[in-house]
């Protein structure tokens, strides 16, 4: 009997570490002597002329007496985006960009022609929000403008005139026109998309044709003195079209190319996207599968780019990403208005961690879209405005902007559904200019609370504090009646463990841990 008891005790002592390991994810972070930075531009946004993103979203008109605004742009939106420290804003599309004639949106507003937005709802727009409105908005936000140029239906001359209009200090026909329209100093726009989705709404082109067209447009965008001021971004692949990236990197001289784009959305099924807020676990799992596929996409597109650009001078620009579902009942199908739940928070948290961990190649990304469209950070209804769970993820993660990347090693757990599995924990880390370390983690499991053992050599973890975004149901979301149902709160699931911190993270929750520098 005593022998049996001793055997049981011995087995328990032997098995205890294995059982703990099976139930605990282990996250180790190293502090290298030197590291690249996580570009703040990974935390960019996207504002297309689509639904109520611009008109009825950002822009309510200069004559609006009921909604406080500056030159027609809502003050509450400006304040909210300034709080996010958004680094860049992409405009005017999207598909809209490749039918947009920029000269229709300058000059006296009562003289501007009306247009039909053929891509999104067939609505008529009056061009009252144009180049000056957008670039002045970016100045107020402290964000770099990212202009998407019309290559699909425009001309080389149209684009070169636009560059001249917004960037030239010296006397020229377009700088004179800008001054005539009330702006003396140029805006010095750096980021330019040379077309959008050229494989689709930009013209249904094959990559070899578009690569030659890109070379032509990119050549005439600059003169011989200002080429180093422009960051030209080629229209990139649709999800896993690796041949497209191959052709862009192979056929475009790298002195004409600063970035190659990539577009990928998260959804249940492309032809049956499901509800934004009324979904089951099967739909949640499927959506997270497509979101986490971003890791594979970034790795494989980066490998192709590495072959042609081993020094990684050309950036991978993921300038459209986010969740895409059916529109809210009773709304215009062409307006892409959808609610934003804790599922979207998980998409944002895991995707941003992926970008951070691949930030040697990923230089910019743009969440689609900023206001009232797809995975928006802001929703408006008349004079009311709410901040979505995705907004709060971007708020938690903003500490990574321009911070030094810290390599991680993650011994992960799994989240299973039916006969499939996904990694349950997502994480990334950085150290800012003050020496403060930030670690962002997400537990995507729908019902399991998971423990993460965090170890960072050379860092006093006893000074760590945390913030969490969580809720009772993954379908929970903020509404105009309950705008603060989901907001960040202090994270209390943290205690000293063996050689580090033990973090207890509830299901479908995101956490940021902050450890001050010495």
């Amino acid at each position: 009997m005593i022998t049996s008891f001793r055997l049981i005790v011995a087995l328990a002592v032997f098995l205890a570490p294995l059982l703990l390991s099976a139930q605990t994810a282990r996250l180790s972070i190293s502090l290298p002597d030197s590291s690249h930075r996580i570009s703040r531009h990974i935390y960019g946004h996207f504002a297309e002329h689509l639904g109520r993103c611009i008109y009825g979203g950002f822009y309510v008109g200069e004559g609006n007496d009921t909604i406080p605004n500056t030159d027609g742009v809502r003050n509450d939106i400006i304040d909210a985006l300034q709080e996010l420290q958004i680094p860049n804003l992409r405009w005017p599309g999207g598909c809209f960009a490749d039918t947009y004639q920029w000269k229709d949106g300058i000059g006296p507003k009562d003289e501007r022609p009306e247009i039909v937005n053929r891509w999104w709802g067939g609505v008529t727009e009056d061009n009252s929000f144009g180049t000056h409105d957008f670039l002045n908005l970016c100045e107020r936000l402290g964000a770099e403008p990212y202009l998407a140029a019309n290559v699909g239906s425009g001309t080389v001359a149209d684009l070169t005139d636009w560059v001249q209009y917004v960037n030239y200090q010296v006397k020229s026909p377009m700088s004179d026109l800008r001054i005539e329209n009330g702006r003396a100093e140029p805006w010095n726009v750096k980021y330019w998309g040379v077309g959008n989705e050229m494989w689709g709404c930009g013209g249904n082109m094959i990559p070899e044709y578009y690569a030659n067209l890109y070379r032509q447009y990119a050549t005439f965008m600059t003169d011989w003195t200002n080429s180093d001021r422009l960051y030209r971004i080629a229209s990139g692949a649709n999800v896993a079209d690796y041949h497209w990236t191959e052709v862009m990197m192979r056929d475009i001289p790298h002195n004409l190319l600063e970035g190659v784009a990539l577009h990928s959305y998260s959804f249940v099924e492309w032809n049956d996207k499901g509800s934004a807020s009324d979904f089951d676990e099967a739909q949640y799992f499927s959506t997270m599968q497509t979101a986490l596929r971003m890791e594979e996409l970034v790795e494989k597109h980066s490998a192709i780019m590495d072959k042609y650009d081993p020094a990684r001078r050309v950036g991978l620009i993921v300038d459209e990403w986010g969740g895409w579902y059916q529109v809210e009942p009773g709304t215009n199908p062409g307006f892409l208005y959808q609610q934003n739940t804790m599922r979207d928070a998980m998409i944002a948290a895991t995707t941003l961690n992926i970008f951070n961990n691949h930030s040697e190649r990923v230089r910019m990304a743009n969440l689609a879209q900023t206001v009232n469209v797809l995975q928006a950070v802001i929703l408006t209804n008349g004079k009311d405005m709410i901040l979505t769970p995705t907004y709060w993820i971007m708020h938690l993660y903003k500490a990574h902007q321009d911070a030094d990347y810290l390599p991680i090693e993650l011994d992960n757990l799994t989240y299973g559904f039916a006969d499939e599995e996904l990694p349950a924990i997502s994480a990334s880390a950085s150290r800012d200019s003050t020496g403060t370390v930030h670690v962002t983690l997400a537990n995507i499991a729908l019902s399991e609370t998971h423990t993460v053992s965090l170890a960072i050599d050379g860092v006093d973890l006893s000074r760590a504090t945390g913030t969490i975004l969580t809720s009772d149901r993954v379908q929970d979301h903020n509404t105009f009646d309950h705008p603060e149902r989901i907001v960040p709160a202090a994270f209390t699931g943290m205690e000293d463990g063996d050689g580090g911190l033990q973090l207890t993270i509830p299901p479908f929750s995101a956490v940021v841990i902050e450890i001050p520098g010495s």
Side-chain angles (χ1 to χ4, degrees), residues 99-140:
T99 51
Y100 182 63
Q101 303 298 320
W102 70 269
K103 289 179 183 176
D104 291 345
I106 61 173
K109 297 198 175 189
D110 59 356
E111 298 178 9
R112 299 179 187 178
E114 291 186 338
I115 59 170
V116 174
N117 189 333
R118 57 172 302 210
W119 297 107
W120 305 115
V123 295
T124 300
E125 299 185 10
D126 63 5
N127 269 310
S128 56
F129 189 91
T131 294
H132 288 248
D133 306 274
F134 173 69
L135 296 180
N136 291 341
L137 165 63
C138 288
E139 283 188 335
R140 289 194 289 274

Side-chain angles (χ1 to χ4, degrees), residues 1-14:
M1 186 73 173
I2 293 176
T3 303
S4 299
F5 176 75
R6 287 175 177 170
L7 178 61
I8 292 170
V9 171
L11 285 171
V13 170
F14 175 75

Side-chain angles (χ1 to χ4, degrees), residues 277-342:
S277 57
D278 183 15
F279 53 89
D280 59 22
E281 183 169 9
Q283 293 169 311
Y284 172 72
F285 190 90
S286 178
T287 305
M288 293 311 302
Q289 271 185 316
T290 59
L292 292 175
R293 190 186 179 197
M294 184 65 77
E295 181 97 40
E296 174 187 324
L297 297 176
V298 168
E299 287 178 348
K300 290 187 175 180
H301 285 290
S302 294
I304 294 167
M305 296 176 75
D306 287 348
K307 182 170 67 172
Y308 295 95
D309 175 33
R312 296 179 176 174
R313 192 189 67 83
V314 179
L316 179 60
I317 313 298
V318 191
D319 55 15
E320 289 189 28
W321 67 272
W324 192 333
Y325 319 113
Q326 294 172 357
V327 302
E328 293 303 301
T331 65
N332 188 324
F335 282 10
L336 304 188
Y337 176 77
Q338 63 188 40
Q339 250 301 346
N340 194 290
T341 69
M342 284 300 299

Side-chain angles (χ1 to χ4, degrees), residues 29 32 70 97 142 170 184 223 245 250 263 304 308 314 345 382 413 438 500 511:
I29 299 173
T70 301
V170 298
D223 59 28
T245 300
R250 183 194 69 203
H263 290 180
I304 294 167
Y308 295 95
V314 179
L413 304 172
H438 292 93
V511 172

Side-chain angles (χ1 to χ4, degrees), residues 2-247:
I2 293 176
T3 303
S4 299
F5 176 75
R6 287 175 177 170
L7 178 61
I8 292 170
V9 171
L11 285 171
V13 170
F14 175 75
L15 292 173
L18 299 178
L19 293 172
L20 178 62
S21 176
Q23 300 168 0
T24 302
R26 298 189 178 277
L27 177 62
S28 300
I29 299 173
S30 58
L31 302 180
D33 292 334
S34 62
S35 178
H36 67 274
R37 287 188 172 179
I38 297 172
S39 172
R40 70 185 188 279
H41 290 293
I42 285 173
Y43 292 81
H45 294 262
F46 177 27
E48 184 170 4
H49 284 243
L50 197 174
R52 293 191 300 112
C53 185
I54 301 297
Y55 299 109
F58 274 102
Y59 188 73
V60 294
E62 291 89 334
N64 193 308
D65 296 328
T66 61
I67 301 175
N69 65 87
T70 301
D71 296 331
V73 177
R74 294 179 65 130
N75 290 341
D76 52 3
I77 288 181
I78 294 173
D79 292 343
L81 295 181
Q82 285 176 334
E83 176 63 23
L84 277 191
Q85 299 172 6
I86 73 166
N88 66 73
L89 187 60
R90 180 175 179 241
W91 177 86
C95 291
F96 180 84
D98 278 298
T99 51
Y100 182 63
Q101 303 298 320
W102 70 269
K103 289 179 183 176
D104 291 345
I106 61 173
K109 297 198 175 189
D110 59 356
E111 298 178 9
R112 299 179 187 178
E114 291 186 338
I115 59 170
V116 174
N117 189 333
R118 57 172 302 210
W119 297 107
W120 305 115
V123 295
T124 300
E125 299 185 10
D126 63 5
N127 269 310
S128 56
F129 189 91
T131 294
H132 288 248
D133 306 274
F134 173 69
L135 296 180
N136 291 341
L137 165 63
C138 288
E139 283 188 335
R140 289 194 289 274
L141 293 174
E144 293 262 16
Y146 171 13
L147 293 177
N150 181 350
V151 173
S153 65
T155 66
V156 173
D158 292 335
L159 177 50
T160 56
D161 280 353
W162 205 11
V163 174
Q164 189 181 113
Y165 186 87
V166 302
N167 279 7
Y168 272 43
Q169 178 71 56
V170 298
K171 181 176 175 58
S172 70
M174 290 298 103
S175 58
D176 287 348
L177 181 58
R178 182 190 70 239
I179 294 169
E180 180 184 326
N181 287 329
R183 173 77 183 202
E185 296 298 318
W187 290 278
N188 296 320
V189 176
K190 178 178 181 178
Y191 295 99
W192 294 82
V194 185
N196 168 76
E197 295 191 354
M198 306 308 294
W199 39 264
C201 60
N204 281 304
M205 300 176 187
I206 63 172
E208 290 81 4
Y209 177 83
Y210 168 65
N212 280 334
L213 195 62
Y214 174 94
R215 292 164 64 130
Q216 178 187 12
Y217 275 73
T219 298
F220 286 96
M221 287 176 71
T222 66
D223 59 28
W224 298 116
T225 62
N226 73 357
S227 60
D228 61 334
R229 300 207 317 260
L230 299 187
Y231 194 101
R232 295 158 296 187
I233 300 167
S235 171
N238 179 24
V239 194
D241 186 351
Y242 301 114
H243 176 65
W244 188 281
T245 300
E246 181 95 28
V247 173

